[in-house]
Protein backbone atom coordinates (compact mmCIF):
# COMPACT_ATOMS: atom_id res chain seq x y z
CA UNK A 1 0.00 0.00 0.00
CA UNK A 2 1.29 3.45 -0.94
CA UNK A 3 1.88 5.67 2.10
CA UNK A 4 -0.30 8.77 2.27
CA UNK A 5 0.50 12.31 3.37
CA UNK A 6 -1.35 15.56 3.99
CA UNK A 7 -0.13 18.97 2.84
CA UNK A 8 -1.67 22.11 4.32
CA UNK A 9 -0.74 25.64 3.38
CA UNK A 10 -1.81 29.26 3.37
CA UNK A 11 -0.32 32.19 1.48
CA UNK A 12 -1.25 35.45 -0.20
CA UNK A 13 -3.78 34.63 -2.91
CA UNK A 14 -2.51 34.75 -6.48
CA UNK A 15 -2.78 32.74 -9.67
CA UNK A 16 -0.90 29.48 -10.13
CA UNK A 17 -0.86 28.11 -6.58
CA UNK A 18 -2.88 24.95 -7.22
CA UNK A 19 -1.14 24.46 -10.57
CA UNK A 20 2.32 24.62 -9.01
CA UNK A 21 1.47 22.40 -6.03
CA UNK A 22 -0.25 19.73 -8.10
CA UNK A 23 2.59 19.87 -10.62
CA UNK A 24 5.16 19.34 -7.88
CA UNK A 25 3.28 16.30 -6.62
CA UNK A 26 2.89 14.95 -10.16
CA UNK A 27 6.60 15.35 -10.82
CA UNK A 28 7.28 13.15 -7.75
CA UNK A 29 4.83 10.47 -8.88
CA UNK A 30 2.29 11.32 -6.19
CA UNK A 31 -1.44 10.76 -6.57
CA UNK A 32 -3.89 13.33 -5.16
CA UNK A 33 -6.65 11.58 -3.22
CA UNK A 34 -8.53 14.66 -2.04
CA UNK A 35 -8.04 18.42 -2.26
CA UNK A 36 -9.92 21.32 -0.69
CA UNK A 37 -9.23 25.02 -1.11
CA UNK A 38 -10.55 28.39 -0.02
CA UNK A 39 -9.72 31.94 -1.03
CA UNK A 40 -10.65 34.56 1.54
CA UNK A 41 -11.45 37.91 -0.03
CA UNK A 42 -11.27 39.74 3.31
CA UNK A 43 -7.75 38.65 4.26
CA UNK A 44 -6.52 38.12 0.70
CA UNK A 45 -5.16 34.71 1.65
CA UNK A 46 -5.50 31.32 -0.01
CA UNK A 47 -5.85 28.06 1.94
CA UNK A 48 -5.25 24.54 0.65
CA UNK A 49 -5.35 21.00 2.03
CA UNK A 50 -4.13 18.17 -0.21
CA UNK A 51 -4.29 14.49 0.74
CA UNK A 52 -2.05 12.40 -1.50
CA UNK A 53 -0.17 9.13 -1.63
CA UNK A 54 3.32 8.40 -2.94
CA UNK A 55 5.54 5.51 -3.93
CA UNK A 56 6.95 3.49 -1.06
CA UNK A 57 10.46 4.29 -2.26
CA UNK A 58 9.90 8.06 -2.20
CA UNK A 59 10.93 9.56 1.16
CA UNK A 60 8.66 12.27 2.52
CA UNK A 61 11.81 14.37 3.03
CA UNK A 62 12.22 14.56 -0.74
CA UNK A 63 8.77 16.09 -1.14
CA UNK A 64 9.51 18.45 1.76
CA UNK A 65 12.71 19.68 0.12
CA UNK A 66 10.87 20.55 -3.09
CA UNK A 67 8.08 22.23 -1.12
CA UNK A 68 10.56 24.51 0.64
CA UNK A 69 11.60 26.07 -2.65
CA UNK A 70 8.01 26.45 -3.82
CA UNK A 71 6.92 27.87 -0.46
CA UNK A 72 9.61 30.51 -0.67
CA UNK A 73 8.35 31.64 -4.08
CA UNK A 74 4.77 32.06 -2.83
CA UNK A 75 5.36 33.14 0.78
CA UNK A 76 3.62 30.05 2.10
CA UNK A 77 3.01 28.93 5.65
CA UNK A 78 2.89 25.17 5.17
CA UNK A 79 3.10 21.79 6.86
CA UNK A 80 3.54 18.29 5.50
CA UNK A 81 2.24 15.41 7.60
CA UNK A 82 2.65 11.64 7.48
CA UNK A 83 -0.91 10.38 7.07
CA UNK A 84 -0.13 7.10 8.84
CA UNK A 85 1.04 8.70 12.07
CA UNK A 86 -1.48 8.74 14.92
CA UNK A 87 -1.56 11.89 17.04
CA UNK A 88 -0.64 11.52 20.70
CA UNK A 89 -3.02 13.22 23.11
CA UNK A 90 -2.81 14.42 26.71
CA UNK A 91 -6.27 14.92 28.21
CA UNK A 92 -6.67 17.32 31.12
CA UNK A 93 -9.79 17.00 33.28
CA UNK A 94 -11.12 18.16 36.64
CA UNK A 95 -14.33 16.78 38.21
CA UNK A 96 -16.69 16.57 35.22
CA UNK A 97 -15.87 13.45 33.24
CA UNK A 98 -18.34 13.30 30.37
CA UNK A 99 -15.90 14.64 27.73
CA UNK A 100 -13.06 12.47 29.01
CA UNK A 101 -15.26 9.37 28.97
CA UNK A 102 -16.39 10.13 25.42
CA UNK A 103 -12.83 10.64 24.13
CA UNK A 104 -11.59 7.47 25.80
CA UNK A 105 -14.37 5.42 24.22
CA UNK A 106 -13.93 6.94 20.77
CA UNK A 107 -10.17 6.34 20.83
CA UNK A 108 -10.55 2.79 22.17
CA UNK A 109 -13.25 1.85 19.64
CA UNK A 110 -11.33 3.31 16.69
CA UNK A 111 -13.85 6.07 16.01
CA UNK A 112 -11.11 8.60 16.73
CA UNK A 113 -7.70 7.70 15.31
CA UNK A 114 -5.53 8.95 18.16
CA UNK A 115 -3.45 7.51 20.96
CA UNK A 116 -4.35 8.98 24.34
CA UNK A 117 -0.93 8.84 25.95
CA UNK A 118 -1.99 10.11 29.37
CA UNK A 119 -4.75 11.69 31.43
CA UNK A 120 -3.88 14.34 34.00
CA UNK A 121 -6.08 16.04 36.56
CA UNK A 122 -5.99 18.31 39.57
CA UNK A 123 -8.29 15.75 41.23
CA UNK A 124 -7.98 11.97 41.54
CA UNK A 125 -11.61 11.13 40.68
CA UNK A 126 -11.00 9.68 37.22
CA UNK A 127 -7.93 7.56 37.91
CA UNK A 128 -10.08 4.36 37.84
CA UNK A 129 -11.66 5.38 34.52
CA UNK A 130 -8.27 5.95 32.89
CA UNK A 131 -6.98 2.68 34.35
CA UNK A 132 -9.93 0.78 32.85
CA UNK A 133 -8.58 1.78 29.42
CA UNK A 134 -4.97 1.04 30.40
CA UNK A 135 -3.99 4.73 30.17
CA UNK A 136 -1.58 6.33 32.68
CA UNK A 137 -3.23 8.81 35.05
CA UNK A 138 -1.31 11.70 36.62
CA UNK A 139 -2.74 13.40 39.69
CA UNK A 140 -1.40 16.95 39.62
CA UNK A 141 -3.08 18.91 42.44
CA UNK A 142 -2.82 22.67 42.21
CA UNK A 143 -3.26 25.71 44.41
CA UNK A 144 -2.40 29.37 44.04
CA UNK A 145 0.96 28.66 45.68
CA UNK A 146 1.81 25.61 43.56
CA UNK A 147 0.44 26.64 40.15
CA UNK A 148 3.83 27.34 38.59
CA UNK A 149 5.21 23.97 39.71
CA UNK A 150 2.09 22.12 38.59
CA UNK A 151 2.16 23.71 35.16
CA UNK A 152 5.83 22.82 34.81
CA UNK A 153 4.77 19.21 35.45
CA UNK A 154 2.25 19.46 32.63
CA UNK A 155 4.89 20.83 30.25
CA UNK A 156 7.32 18.08 31.29
CA UNK A 157 4.61 15.49 30.61
CA UNK A 158 3.95 16.97 27.17
CA UNK A 159 7.65 16.83 26.30
CA UNK A 160 8.30 13.39 27.79
CA UNK A 161 5.31 11.75 26.10
CA UNK A 162 5.85 13.59 22.78
CA UNK A 163 2.31 14.97 22.92
CA UNK A 164 0.86 16.43 19.73
CA UNK A 165 -2.36 17.82 21.22
CA UNK A 166 -3.49 18.75 24.73
CA UNK A 167 -7.26 18.51 25.22
CA UNK A 168 -8.89 20.43 28.05
CA UNK A 169 -11.87 18.15 28.64
CA UNK A 170 -13.63 20.36 31.21
CA UNK A 171 -10.36 21.17 32.96
CA UNK A 172 -11.50 23.89 35.32
CA UNK A 173 -8.23 25.76 35.76
CA UNK A 174 -7.14 28.95 34.03
CA UNK A 175 -3.85 28.36 32.26
CA UNK A 176 -1.08 30.88 32.82
CA UNK A 177 0.25 32.91 29.88
CA UNK A 178 3.46 30.85 30.12
CA UNK A 179 1.60 27.56 29.66
CA UNK A 180 -0.61 29.02 26.93
CA UNK A 181 2.48 30.07 24.98
CA UNK A 182 4.10 26.65 25.48
CA UNK A 183 1.00 24.94 24.05
CA UNK A 184 0.19 27.50 21.34
CA UNK A 185 -1.63 25.86 18.44
CA UNK A 186 -1.77 22.46 20.11
CA UNK A 187 -4.30 22.86 22.94
CA UNK A 188 -8.08 22.72 22.53
CA UNK A 189 -10.66 23.73 25.14
CA UNK A 190 -14.39 23.02 25.33
CA UNK A 191 -16.70 25.74 26.61
CA UNK A 192 -20.29 25.30 27.74
CA UNK A 193 -21.85 28.06 25.64
CA UNK A 194 -21.58 30.28 22.63
CA UNK A 195 -18.80 32.52 23.77
CA UNK A 196 -18.97 34.79 25.60
CA UNK A 197 -22.07 33.97 27.67
CA UNK A 198 -22.97 32.65 31.11
CA UNK A 199 -19.44 32.55 32.41
CA UNK A 200 -18.46 31.28 35.83
CA UNK A 201 -20.17 28.78 38.11
CA UNK A 202 -23.34 26.85 37.23
CA UNK A 203 -23.73 28.10 33.65
CA UNK A 204 -26.76 25.89 32.93
CA UNK A 205 -28.52 27.19 36.03
CA UNK A 206 -27.86 30.73 34.79
CA UNK A 207 -29.24 29.79 31.37
CA UNK A 208 -32.33 28.24 32.96
CA UNK A 209 -32.94 31.34 35.06
CA UNK A 210 -32.86 33.48 31.90
CA UNK A 211 -35.28 31.18 30.07
CA UNK A 212 -33.00 30.41 27.12
CA UNK A 213 -34.37 28.40 24.21
CA UNK A 214 -31.05 27.00 23.00
CA UNK A 215 -27.88 25.96 24.75
CA UNK A 216 -24.60 25.32 23.03
CA UNK A 217 -20.96 24.36 23.21
CA UNK A 218 -17.84 25.85 21.66
CA UNK A 219 -14.46 24.21 21.04
CA UNK A 220 -11.58 26.61 20.51
CA UNK A 221 -7.81 26.84 20.60
CA UNK A 222 -6.32 27.96 23.90
CA UNK A 223 -4.73 31.39 23.93
CA UNK A 224 -3.62 33.86 26.58
CA UNK A 225 -6.96 35.67 26.17
CA UNK A 226 -9.33 33.61 28.30
CA UNK A 227 -11.95 31.81 26.16
CA UNK A 228 -11.14 34.08 23.20
CA UNK A 229 -9.09 31.66 21.08
CA UNK A 230 -9.93 30.83 17.45
CA UNK A 231 -13.17 28.82 17.31
CA UNK A 232 -13.02 25.36 15.74
CA UNK A 233 -16.47 23.87 16.24
CA UNK A 234 -19.86 24.80 17.74
CA UNK A 235 -23.29 23.26 18.11
CA UNK A 236 -26.63 23.90 19.80
CA UNK A 237 -29.45 21.96 21.40
CA UNK A 238 -33.00 23.30 21.77
CA UNK A 239 -34.59 23.51 25.20
CA UNK A 240 -38.04 24.51 26.44
CA UNK A 241 -39.86 25.77 29.49
CA UNK A 242 -40.47 22.29 30.89
CA UNK A 243 -36.79 21.46 31.27
CA UNK A 244 -35.06 21.69 34.63
CA UNK A 245 -31.45 22.73 35.23
CA UNK A 246 -30.65 19.02 35.55
CA UNK A 247 -32.11 18.44 32.08
CA UNK A 248 -29.98 21.27 30.69
CA UNK A 249 -26.84 19.84 32.28
CA UNK A 250 -27.54 16.44 30.72
CA UNK A 251 -28.28 17.87 27.30
CA UNK A 252 -25.35 20.27 27.50
CA UNK A 253 -22.96 17.48 28.48
CA UNK A 254 -23.92 15.52 25.37
CA UNK A 255 -23.40 18.58 23.18
CA UNK A 256 -20.04 19.38 24.74
CA UNK A 257 -18.80 15.82 24.21
CA UNK A 258 -19.82 15.79 20.55
CA UNK A 259 -18.40 19.23 19.78
CA UNK A 260 -15.08 18.45 21.46
CA UNK A 261 -14.74 15.13 19.64
CA UNK A 262 -15.38 16.82 16.29
CA UNK A 263 -12.82 19.52 17.06
CA UNK A 264 -10.19 16.94 18.02
CA UNK A 265 -10.89 14.98 14.85
CA UNK A 266 -10.54 18.07 12.67
CA UNK A 267 -7.21 18.90 14.32
CA UNK A 268 -5.61 15.46 14.12
CA UNK A 269 -6.73 15.09 10.50
CA UNK A 270 -5.00 18.43 9.76
CA UNK A 271 -8.19 20.11 8.56
CA UNK A 272 -7.77 23.40 10.46
CA UNK A 273 -5.80 26.40 9.22
CA UNK A 274 -5.60 29.70 11.07
CA UNK A 275 -6.86 32.80 9.30
CA UNK A 276 -5.96 35.58 11.69
CA UNK A 277 -8.25 35.15 14.70
CA UNK A 278 -10.54 32.85 12.73
CA UNK A 279 -10.15 29.33 11.43
CA UNK A 280 -10.60 27.69 8.06
CA UNK A 281 -11.98 24.21 8.76
CA UNK A 282 -12.04 21.84 5.79
CA UNK A 283 -14.70 19.12 6.04
Amino acid sequence: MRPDSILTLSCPDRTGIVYRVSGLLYDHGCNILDAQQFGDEESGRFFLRVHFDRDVGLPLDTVQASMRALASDFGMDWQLHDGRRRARLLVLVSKQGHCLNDLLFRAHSGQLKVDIAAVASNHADFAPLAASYGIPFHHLPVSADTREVQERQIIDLVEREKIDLVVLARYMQILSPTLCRALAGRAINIHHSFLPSFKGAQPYHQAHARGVKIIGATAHYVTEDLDEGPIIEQDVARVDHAMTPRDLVRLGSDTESQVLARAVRRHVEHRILLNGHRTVVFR
Side-chain angles (χ1 to χ4, degrees), residues 63-82:
V63 182
Q64 286 179 319
S66 297
M67 269 303 303
R68 288 190 192 99
L70 179 60
S72 179
D73 291 342
F74 283 84
M76 293 176 178
D77 295 323
W78 64 284
Q79 290 183 310
L80 189 56
H81 308 274
D82 185 343

PDB file of all heavy atoms in Angstrom, residues 63-82:
ATOM      1  N   VAL A  63       9.887  15.195  -0.842  1.00  0.00           N
ATOM      2  CA  VAL A  63       8.771  16.094  -1.144  1.00  0.00           C
ATOM      3  C   VAL A  63       8.918  17.385  -0.334  1.00  0.00           C
ATOM      4  O   VAL A  63       8.679  18.488  -0.843  1.00  0.00           O
ATOM      5  CB  VAL A  63       7.425  15.419  -0.841  1.00  0.00           C
ATOM      6  CG1 VAL A  63       6.264  16.347  -1.198  1.00  0.00           C
ATOM      7  CG2 VAL A  63       7.294  14.100  -1.602  1.00  0.00           C
ATOM      8  N   GLN A  64       9.335  17.271   0.920  1.00  0.00           N
ATOM      9  CA  GLN A  64       9.514  18.453   1.763  1.00  0.00           C
ATOM     10  C   GLN A  64      10.557  19.404   1.175  1.00  0.00           C
ATOM     11  O   GLN A  64      10.374  20.624   1.179  1.00  0.00           O
ATOM     12  CB  GLN A  64       9.921  18.039   3.175  1.00  0.00           C
ATOM     13  CG  GLN A  64       8.785  17.442   3.986  1.00  0.00           C
ATOM     14  CD  GLN A  64       9.233  17.019   5.374  1.00  0.00           C
ATOM     15  OE1 GLN A  64      10.322  16.470   5.528  1.00  0.00           O
ATOM     16  NE2 GLN A  64       8.395  17.256   6.362  1.00  0.00           N
ATOM     17  N   ALA A  65      11.649  18.853   0.679  1.00  0.00           N
ATOM     18  CA  ALA A  65      12.708  19.681   0.119  1.00  0.00           C
ATOM     19  C   ALA A  65      12.207  20.482  -1.080  1.00  0.00           C
ATOM     20  O   ALA A  65      12.519  21.668  -1.237  1.00  0.00           O
ATOM     21  CB  ALA A  65      13.899  18.808  -0.275  1.00  0.00           C
ATOM     22  N   SER A  66      11.420  19.841  -1.932  1.00  0.00           N
ATOM     23  CA  SER A  66      10.873  20.545  -3.090  1.00  0.00           C
ATOM     24  C   SER A  66       9.858  21.602  -2.662  1.00  0.00           C
ATOM     25  O   SER A  66       9.777  22.686  -3.245  1.00  0.00           O
ATOM     26  CB  SER A  66      10.212  19.545  -4.044  1.00  0.00           C
ATOM     27  OG  SER A  66      11.162  18.631  -4.559  1.00  0.00           O
ATOM     28  N   MET A  67       9.081  21.285  -1.607  1.00  0.00           N
ATOM     29  CA  MET A  67       8.083  22.228  -1.123  1.00  0.00           C
ATOM     30  C   MET A  67       8.730  23.482  -0.537  1.00  0.00           C
ATOM     31  O   MET A  67       8.175  24.580  -0.639  1.00  0.00           O
ATOM     32  CB  MET A  67       7.198  21.562  -0.068  1.00  0.00           C
ATOM     33  CG  MET A  67       5.941  20.898  -0.624  1.00  0.00           C
ATOM     34  SD  MET A  67       4.871  22.021  -1.577  1.00  0.00           S
ATOM     35  CE  MET A  67       4.531  23.306  -0.373  1.00  0.00           C
ATOM     36  N   ARG A  68       9.891  23.349   0.056  1.00  0.00           N
ATOM     37  CA  ARG A  68      10.557  24.511   0.641  1.00  0.00           C
ATOM     38  C   ARG A  68      10.832  25.578  -0.429  1.00  0.00           C
ATOM     39  O   ARG A  68      10.626  26.765  -0.200  1.00  0.00           O
ATOM     40  CB  ARG A  68      11.864  24.091   1.320  1.00  0.00           C
ATOM     41  CG  ARG A  68      11.670  23.321   2.613  1.00  0.00           C
ATOM     42  CD  ARG A  68      12.975  23.150   3.370  1.00  0.00           C
ATOM     43  NE  ARG A  68      12.816  22.182   4.440  1.00  0.00           N
ATOM     44  CZ  ARG A  68      13.169  20.911   4.379  1.00  0.00           C
ATOM     45  NH1 ARG A  68      13.730  20.450   3.266  1.00  0.00           N
ATOM     46  NH2 ARG A  68      12.978  20.100   5.395  1.00  0.00           N
ATOM     47  N   ALA A  69      11.309  25.128  -1.573  1.00  0.00           N
ATOM     48  CA  ALA A  69      11.601  26.075  -2.649  1.00  0.00           C
ATOM     49  C   ALA A  69      10.319  26.716  -3.170  1.00  0.00           C
ATOM     50  O   ALA A  69      10.270  27.931  -3.393  1.00  0.00           O
ATOM     51  CB  ALA A  69      12.335  25.353  -3.776  1.00  0.00           C
ATOM     52  N   LEU A  70       9.281  25.924  -3.336  1.00  0.00           N
ATOM     53  CA  LEU A  70       8.010  26.452  -3.821  1.00  0.00           C
ATOM     54  C   LEU A  70       7.403  27.413  -2.800  1.00  0.00           C
ATOM     55  O   LEU A  70       6.884  28.480  -3.166  1.00  0.00           O
ATOM     56  CB  LEU A  70       7.043  25.296  -4.105  1.00  0.00           C
ATOM     57  CG  LEU A  70       5.650  25.687  -4.597  1.00  0.00           C
ATOM     58  CD1 LEU A  70       5.756  26.453  -5.904  1.00  0.00           C
ATOM     59  CD2 LEU A  70       4.779  24.447  -4.762  1.00  0.00           C
ATOM     60  N   ALA A  71       7.475  27.035  -1.523  1.00  0.00           N
ATOM     61  CA  ALA A  71       6.915  27.871  -0.464  1.00  0.00           C
ATOM     62  C   ALA A  71       7.597  29.229  -0.421  1.00  0.00           C
ATOM     63  O   ALA A  71       6.959  30.255  -0.167  1.00  0.00           O
ATOM     64  CB  ALA A  71       7.036  27.166   0.888  1.00  0.00           C
ATOM     65  N   SER A  72       8.867  29.243  -0.666  1.00  0.00           N
ATOM     66  CA  SER A  72       9.609  30.505  -0.674  1.00  0.00           C
ATOM     67  C   SER A  72       9.122  31.425  -1.787  1.00  0.00           C
ATOM     68  O   SER A  72       8.992  32.638  -1.602  1.00  0.00           O
ATOM     69  CB  SER A  72      11.104  30.227  -0.830  1.00  0.00           C
ATOM     70  OG  SER A  72      11.843  31.426  -0.875  1.00  0.00           O
ATOM     71  N   ASP A  73       8.820  30.850  -2.946  1.00  0.00           N
ATOM     72  CA  ASP A  73       8.346  31.642  -4.082  1.00  0.00           C
ATOM     73  C   ASP A  73       6.994  32.297  -3.804  1.00  0.00           C
ATOM     74  O   ASP A  73       6.727  33.404  -4.267  1.00  0.00           O
ATOM     75  CB  ASP A  73       8.229  30.761  -5.328  1.00  0.00           C
ATOM     76  CG  ASP A  73       9.582  30.320  -5.860  1.00  0.00           C
ATOM     77  OD1 ASP A  73      10.599  30.947  -5.486  1.00  0.00           O
ATOM     78  OD2 ASP A  73       9.615  29.351  -6.641  1.00  0.00           O
ATOM     79  N   PHE A  74       6.136  31.587  -3.040  1.00  0.00           N
ATOM     80  CA  PHE A  74       4.767  32.057  -2.826  1.00  0.00           C
ATOM     81  C   PHE A  74       4.536  32.642  -1.431  1.00  0.00           C
ATOM     82  O   PHE A  74       3.418  33.054  -1.128  1.00  0.00           O
ATOM     83  CB  PHE A  74       3.774  30.907  -3.056  1.00  0.00           C
ATOM     84  CG  PHE A  74       3.528  30.596  -4.506  1.00  0.00           C
ATOM     85  CD1 PHE A  74       4.383  29.764  -5.213  1.00  0.00           C
ATOM     86  CD2 PHE A  74       2.444  31.141  -5.175  1.00  0.00           C
ATOM     87  CE1 PHE A  74       4.163  29.471  -6.546  1.00  0.00           C
ATOM     88  CE2 PHE A  74       2.204  30.856  -6.502  1.00  0.00           C
ATOM     89  CZ  PHE A  74       3.069  30.021  -7.199  1.00  0.00           C
ATOM     90  N   GLY A  75       5.548  32.643  -0.584  1.00  0.00           N
ATOM     91  CA  GLY A  75       5.361  33.137   0.781  1.00  0.00           C
ATOM     92  C   GLY A  75       4.404  32.282   1.583  1.00  0.00           C
ATOM     93  O   GLY A  75       3.547  32.796   2.319  1.00  0.00           O
ATOM     94  N   MET A  76       4.559  30.970   1.473  1.00  0.00           N
ATOM     95  CA  MET A  76       3.618  30.048   2.096  1.00  0.00           C
ATOM     96  C   MET A  76       3.962  29.740   3.546  1.00  0.00           C
ATOM     97  O   MET A  76       5.135  29.583   3.905  1.00  0.00           O
ATOM     98  CB  MET A  76       3.605  28.708   1.335  1.00  0.00           C
ATOM     99  CG  MET A  76       3.048  28.763  -0.061  1.00  0.00           C
ATOM    100  SD  MET A  76       3.199  27.137  -0.875  1.00  0.00           S
ATOM    101  CE  MET A  76       2.430  27.498  -2.453  1.00  0.00           C
ATOM    102  N   ASP A  77       2.916  29.631   4.378  1.00  0.00           N
ATOM    103  CA  ASP A  77       3.007  28.931   5.650  1.00  0.00           C
ATOM    104  C   ASP A  77       2.480  27.527   5.369  1.00  0.00           C
ATOM    105  O   ASP A  77       1.322  27.369   4.944  1.00  0.00           O
ATOM    106  CB  ASP A  77       2.147  29.613   6.722  1.00  0.00           C
ATOM    107  CG  ASP A  77       2.648  31.012   7.043  1.00  0.00           C
ATOM    108  OD1 ASP A  77       3.870  31.206   7.051  1.00  0.00           O
ATOM    109  OD2 ASP A  77       1.808  31.898   7.280  1.00  0.00           O
ATOM    110  N   TRP A  78       3.290  26.509   5.596  1.00  0.00           N
ATOM    111  CA  TRP A  78       2.886  25.173   5.170  1.00  0.00           C
ATOM    112  C   TRP A  78       3.381  24.103   6.132  1.00  0.00           C
ATOM    113  O   TRP A  78       4.317  24.310   6.897  1.00  0.00           O
ATOM    114  CB  TRP A  78       3.416  24.873   3.766  1.00  0.00           C
ATOM    115  CG  TRP A  78       4.928  24.827   3.698  1.00  0.00           C
ATOM    116  CD1 TRP A  78       5.773  25.892   3.714  1.00  0.00           C
ATOM    117  CD2 TRP A  78       5.756  23.658   3.658  1.00  0.00           C
ATOM    118  NE1 TRP A  78       7.083  25.470   3.662  1.00  0.00           N
ATOM    119  CE2 TRP A  78       7.093  24.095   3.632  1.00  0.00           C
ATOM    120  CE3 TRP A  78       5.491  22.291   3.634  1.00  0.00           C
ATOM    121  CZ2 TRP A  78       8.169  23.203   3.570  1.00  0.00           C
ATOM    122  CZ3 TRP A  78       6.557  21.418   3.576  1.00  0.00           C
ATOM    123  CH2 TRP A  78       7.876  21.865   3.546  1.00  0.00           C
ATOM    124  N   GLN A  79       2.708  22.963   6.086  1.00  0.00           N
ATOM    125  CA  GLN A  79       3.101  21.790   6.862  1.00  0.00           C
ATOM    126  C   GLN A  79       2.829  20.546   6.029  1.00  0.00           C
ATOM    127  O   GLN A  79       1.842  20.484   5.280  1.00  0.00           O
ATOM    128  CB  GLN A  79       2.329  21.700   8.183  1.00  0.00           C
ATOM    129  CG  GLN A  79       2.703  22.773   9.199  1.00  0.00           C
ATOM    130  CD  GLN A  79       1.957  22.587  10.504  1.00  0.00           C
ATOM    131  OE1 GLN A  79       0.728  22.434  10.539  1.00  0.00           O
ATOM    132  NE2 GLN A  79       2.686  22.586  11.606  1.00  0.00           N
ATOM    133  N   LEU A  80       3.695  19.560   6.185  1.00  0.00           N
ATOM    134  CA  LEU A  80       3.543  18.286   5.496  1.00  0.00           C
ATOM    135  C   LEU A  80       3.515  17.181   6.543  1.00  0.00           C
ATOM    136  O   LEU A  80       4.449  17.062   7.341  1.00  0.00           O
ATOM    137  CB  LEU A  80       4.694  18.081   4.504  1.00  0.00           C
ATOM    138  CG  LEU A  80       4.592  16.899   3.540  1.00  0.00           C
ATOM    139  CD1 LEU A  80       3.312  16.952   2.722  1.00  0.00           C
ATOM    140  CD2 LEU A  80       5.813  16.874   2.618  1.00  0.00           C
ATOM    141  N   HIS A  81       2.450  16.396   6.552  1.00  0.00           N
ATOM    142  CA  HIS A  81       2.237  15.412   7.602  1.00  0.00           C
ATOM    143  C   HIS A  81       2.213  13.989   7.030  1.00  0.00           C
ATOM    144  O   HIS A  81       1.711  13.759   5.924  1.00  0.00           O
ATOM    145  CB  HIS A  81       0.899  15.653   8.308  1.00  0.00           C
ATOM    146  CG  HIS A  81       0.719  17.061   8.782  1.00  0.00           C
ATOM    147  ND1 HIS A  81       1.185  17.501   9.996  1.00  0.00           N
ATOM    148  CD2 HIS A  81       0.117  18.132   8.186  1.00  0.00           C
ATOM    149  CE1 HIS A  81       0.868  18.783  10.144  1.00  0.00           C
ATOM    150  NE2 HIS A  81       0.229  19.182   9.065  1.00  0.00           N
ATOM    151  N   ASP A  82       2.744  13.066   7.798  1.00  0.00           N
ATOM    152  CA  ASP A  82       2.651  11.640   7.478  1.00  0.00           C
ATOM    153  C   ASP A  82       1.246  11.171   7.839  1.00  0.00           C
ATOM    154  O   ASP A  82       0.847  11.188   9.003  1.00  0.00           O
ATOM    155  CB  ASP A  82       3.695  10.863   8.284  1.00  0.00           C
ATOM    156  CG  ASP A  82       3.735   9.389   7.907  1.00  0.00           C
ATOM    157  OD1 ASP A  82       2.784   8.888   7.279  1.00  0.00           O
ATOM    158  OD2 ASP A  82       4.743   8.726   8.256  1.00  0.00           O
TER     159      ASP A  82
END
